[in-house]
Every structure is written in structure tokens, then in C-alpha cells.
Amino acid sequence: MKWKNLIILAAVVAFVLLFTLPYILYPFEVPLDTFFKVSNKDLAKPGYVCIILISWYGCPFGAADSWVLYSFLSHYGKIVYNFSYSDPQDVYPNTPAIIFKEFYPNSSVLFRFVYLYNRYLNATACCKVVSNYVSFGLSKISSCFPQYCPFVKEYVVNKWAQGGYFQSAAYMGNPPHIPTTILISSSKGTYILIGYIYNPSCISGMAPSYILSHLNSLSFIQSGVEKIENLI
């Protein structure tokens, strides 16, 4: 009888820990879908602000973020872009997106970007199948943004993400990959966001041309613009 009680007690403790441990660890995990500071250092060129977008062609988070970035950046330079949609098989299918092609600044705000994978997340952006999309992503980021890559590796790949049940953001996807990440560096320091600025469902079913012509009246996009403005 004694052993039976101990087994029951152990099972109860394990059950409680299973559901409470994520909440206990929550303050120590990497937040998602919000900007947070990773360094007091300004990694941009002196006198400049640098915004970096790391995404993939079919990411619904990158699709949602693209409209905020376009709305913000349109005041600081010329943007060359294409319209697109996110992966039709994703949890937020066919989210309308802007795919950035070039940015020609006319101010102290610099914008750089890289797309790591294709629309369907089954090959790289150059349609090459690789065995490890996380390693490939880090390698690409390191070659494009060497001074920022350590932050991506630490917060996106190595540290547990909130709600990830002991997984980092990079290993929450299927297949594991580098998710959409935005870095902003200015005299205020360096900030990172992993995920989306607003939920992609907000623009579900909208045509890209409609969003573009209504940027100023879509409150969730303008709220995202304000978040960026507060960091530069």
C-alpha cells in the first residue's frame, strides 16, 4: 500500500510539474512577437540606424511584418518590391506580403534584408535542398550580417523560446528553421523581434493592393510603425 501511495504521489508531482514548469521558466525564456533589447551597443554605422529583416519567401510572419516595414521605410527611401503570398499550407495560409528587392535610402535609416528559404520551406531561397535548414540559415546570416549573427544564434537558435516547451524558436517549426527575425540597431542600442509585429490573421483575405492603399488606416500596421519609431 505504501509503494502504491508513493507511485501515486510521484505521478501527481510529475503531472503538476509538466503543466507548471513552463510558467515557472517563462521569465527566463526568450519572448516572441515583441521587440526586446539584446545589447546597449549601436552596431550601425555612426550616425545611422540599421534595420535588418531575416525571413523566407513563404513566411506568414514575414508577410505581416513586411507591411509595417514598408509603411515605415517609405518615408526614408525608395523601395523596390514585389507582391506575394505566404505558404498556402501554413497555419496562416496565403498571407499577402511584400517581398523586398532593393532599398535606396535618402536618409540616415538603412535597411538590409535576406530571404533564407523558398515559399514552401522545402528548399533554400535559391531552390537548393539542404539537410539542416538551421545551420544553413546561420551560415547565410553570418555571411550577410556578421556582427548581428551572434544575437540570432543566441536568441533564435540556442535559448528556449516562450511557449516552446524547452525548444528554441528555430526548433519550433517543421522543419526546424530560422524564423522571421527583425533587428534594429541605433544610438538606443540593439533590439530583436522574433516572429510577427501583429498577428497575420489581421490581413487574411486582403489583396496586397488593398493593404498598400490603406496602410494609414490600418491601426495594427500603424501601431507597428510606432513601435519601430520608438527604437530609433
Side-chain angles (χ1 to χ4, degrees):
M1 190 69 178
K2 181 179 179 181
W3 283 107
K4 184 178 180 180
N5 290 337
L6 288 175
I7 292 172
I8 293 174
L9 178 62
V12 171
V13 171
F15 180 82
V16 171
L17 283 175
L18 179 65
F19 287 95
T20 61
L21 195 55
Y23 298 97
I24 296 172
L25 293 174
Y26 192 88
F28 307 100
E29 295 175 326
V30 173
L32 302 179
D33 310 321
T34 187
F35 283 103
F36 61 95
K37 197 171 193 177
V38 294
S39 175
N40 290 320
K41 293 182 178 180
D42 180 1
L43 300 181
K45 295 194 301 183
Y48 284 83
V49 171
C50 186
I51 300 175
I52 292 175
L53 169 66
I54 299 167
S55 191
W56 51 282
Y57 285 127
C59 182
F61 300 164
D65 293 349
S66 70
W67 298 103
V68 174
L69 291 169
Y70 180 92
S71 184
F72 173 81
L73 292 167
S74 60
H75 301 287
Y76 297 98
K78 178 183 177 182
I79 304 168
V80 181
Y81 63 92
N82 290 333
F83 288 145
S84 187
Y85 291 89
S86 69
D87 184 349
Q89 303 301 319
D90 201 279
V91 65
Y92 300 105
N94 296 312
T95 303
I98 277 182
I99 299 297
F100 296 100
K101 308 296 288 185
E102 298 286 349
F103 179 69
Y104 301 99
N106 59 15
S107 69
S108 60
V109 175
L110 305 177
F111 175 57
R112 301 178 66 189
F113 53 90
V114 63
Y115 294 97
L116 301 175
Y117 319 111
N118 68 353
R119 186 184 179 195
Y120 304 100
L121 195 55
N122 56 14
T124 70
C126 298
C127 300
K128 179 182 179 181
V129 177
V130 294
S131 59
N132 189 314
Y133 289 99
V134 175
S135 295
F136 166 80
L138 281 178
S139 177
K140 185 71 174 178
I141 295 166
S142 180
S143 65
C144 294
F145 317 117
Q147 70 272 44
Y148 294 93
C149 189
F151 297 115
V152 177
K153 184 175 182 181
E154 178 177 0
Y155 293 99
V156 179
V157 177
N158 290 341
K159 289 189 173 181
W160 291 342
Q162 287 179 354
Y165 285 90
F166 317 116
Q167 296 181 102
S168 69
Y171 289 92
M172 291 172 66
N174 183 27
H177 64 283
I178 304 296
T180 289
T181 302
I182 297 174
L183 296 112
I184 298 177
S185 198
S186 70
S187 59
K188 294 183 179 181
T190 299
Y191 294 79
I192 191 172
L193 176 143
I194 306 165
Y196 55 74
I197 301 174
Y198 64 91
N199 194 295
S201 64
C202 292
I203 54 175
S204 176
M206 294 184 185
S209 57
Y210 175 86
I211 301 174
L212 190 64
S213 62
H214 290 78
L215 284 176
N216 294 332
S217 61
L218 295 173
S219 60
F220 48 86
I221 290 179
Q222 292 310 308
S223 175
V225 171
E226 290 177 8
K227 291 176 182 178
I228 293 177
E229 289 175 341
N230 289 335
L231 301 180
I232 67 173

